[in-house]
Amino acid sequence: MGDGAAGGAGVGSGSGDREWSLDELASAYAYPEAGPGGREPWLRANMVSTLDGAAQHEGLSLPISSATDRRIFGTLRGLADVVLVGAETVRQEGYRPARAREGFATLREAAGHGPAPAIAVVSASLDLDFSLPLFTSPLVPTLLLTGAAAAPDRVATVEKAGVQVVIAGDGMGVDPARAVRALAGLGHTRLLTEGGPRLLGQLMAAGVLDELCLTISPMLTAGDAQRIAGGPSVAVPKRFELVSLLEEAGFLFSRYRRT
């Protein structure tokens, strides 16, 4: 494993090809401390992309991932209060509830957080299968963010399924800035989004994304796969700064924060 940390503390690789420990990963990916001059809530995204810009292969992110990428995925979830995800990603990726991770139990308890992050699904249509484990048997209750103009009968269906509806927009859809504020109001200040591309694009355009954790996969896929962010382009490109860069087996694990 190589470590090319830039502009911040990275994870040391030690001798040989040993696996990074959870403590090392938790330290490397720790959320900024809240306080004077600090930003809270803090929203980070975790995405993976091939060398030619594909965020998926045949509709899924798993084929372009790696074992270490999945450990970092678990680490980021272990540090977060809530995972914000788009409804289409829930449908395509077969999202399941976040599970408790033994390595983070003490850390989460000391910080006064539950055993696992809540999953917060963003949906305008509320067209989801509420018989899935994400809604029927989560360790921490799943949330559903929608707009005030969502169909009343669909809202009733969601609430009948025991899922908490959080209104975060005046129309059918969700306003990204309002969604962040609403989640913070529920005590979720360490936010993580795992996409999909349309949701990430909306968060970027609204200027509420604080950090991007991007895994660059040493693969080429061609085709017409989505990029990590979609939707309309922003008026002025957003500038982020490199915080750290780790490498293993050709995979690059980068962290960027907005300037």
Side-chain angles (χ1 to χ4, degrees), residues 65-108:
S65 181
S66 71
T68 298
D69 182 48
R70 290 188 288 277
R71 291 189 78 233
I72 291 175
F73 172 94
T75 297
L76 295 180
R77 280 195 165 197
L79 296 172
D81 298 330
V82 64
V83 178
L84 190 63
V85 62
E88 186 61 23
T89 296
V90 169
R91 289 187 283 262
Q92 288 186 352
E93 300 272 358
Y95 253 61
R96 300 186 64 82
R99 60 184 178 85
R101 299 176 184 273
E102 185 177 351
F104 292 97
T106 301
L107 185 66
R108 294 186 68 87

Side-chain angles (χ1 to χ4, degrees), residues 39-43 180-181 184 188-191 208 210 258:
R39 273 203 291 260
E40 193 176 57
W42 185 271
L43 173 62
V180 170
R181 292 195 301 270
H188 302 311
T189 58
R190 302 181 304 176
L191 285 69
V208 295
D210 297 298
R258 62 172 170 168

Side-chain angles (χ1 to χ4, degrees), residues 53-251:
Q56 304 165 338
H57 181 62
E58 296 183 345
L60 299 174
S61 59
L62 184 61
I64 62 173
S65 181
S66 71
T68 298
D69 182 48
R70 290 188 288 277
R71 291 189 78 233
I72 291 175
F73 172 94
T75 297
L76 295 180
R77 280 195 165 197
L79 296 172
D81 298 330
V82 64
V83 178
L84 190 63
V85 62
E88 186 61 23
T89 296
V90 169
R91 289 187 283 262
Q92 288 186 352
E93 300 272 358
Y95 253 61
R96 300 186 64 82
R99 60 184 178 85
R101 299 176 184 273
E102 185 177 351
F104 292 97
T106 301
L107 185 66
R108 294 186 68 87
E109 185 176 0
H113 300 293
I119 304 295
V121 182
V122 176
S123 177
S125 69
L126 308 184
D127 182 17
L128 292 156
D129 183 355
F130 294 102
S131 68
L132 294 175
L134 177 62
F135 302 105
T136 61
S137 55
L139 189 61
V140 177
T142 295
L143 305 172
L144 200 151
L145 278 66
T146 193
D153 60 326
R154 296 299 300 170
V155 172
T157 298
V158 176
E159 293 177 334
K160 186 176 180 180
V163 179
Q164 181 179 353
V165 176
V166 178
I167 301 300
D170 294 328
M172 290 290 293
V174 168
D175 173 74
R178 187 167 166 182
V180 170
R181 292 195 301 270
L183 291 171
L186 295 173
H188 302 311
T189 58
R190 302 181 304 176
L191 285 69
L192 169 67
T193 181
E194 297 166 352
R198 184 171 65 174
L199 175 61
L200 181 55
Q202 292 170 346
L203 296 170
M204 289 167 52
V208 295
L209 184 69
D210 297 298
E211 180 179 330
L212 173 64
C213 299
L214 176 64
T215 296
I216 301 172
S217 171
M219 301 179 188
L220 294 169
T221 64
D224 57 358
Q226 291 180 300
R227 297 161 50 195
I228 66 167
S233 63
V234 297
V236 179
K238 308 290 185 181
R239 182 63 186 263
F240 279 55
E241 63 179 356
L242 181 65
V243 176
S244 67
L245 182 64
L246 311 175
E247 183 274 341
E248 185 204 40
F251 283 80

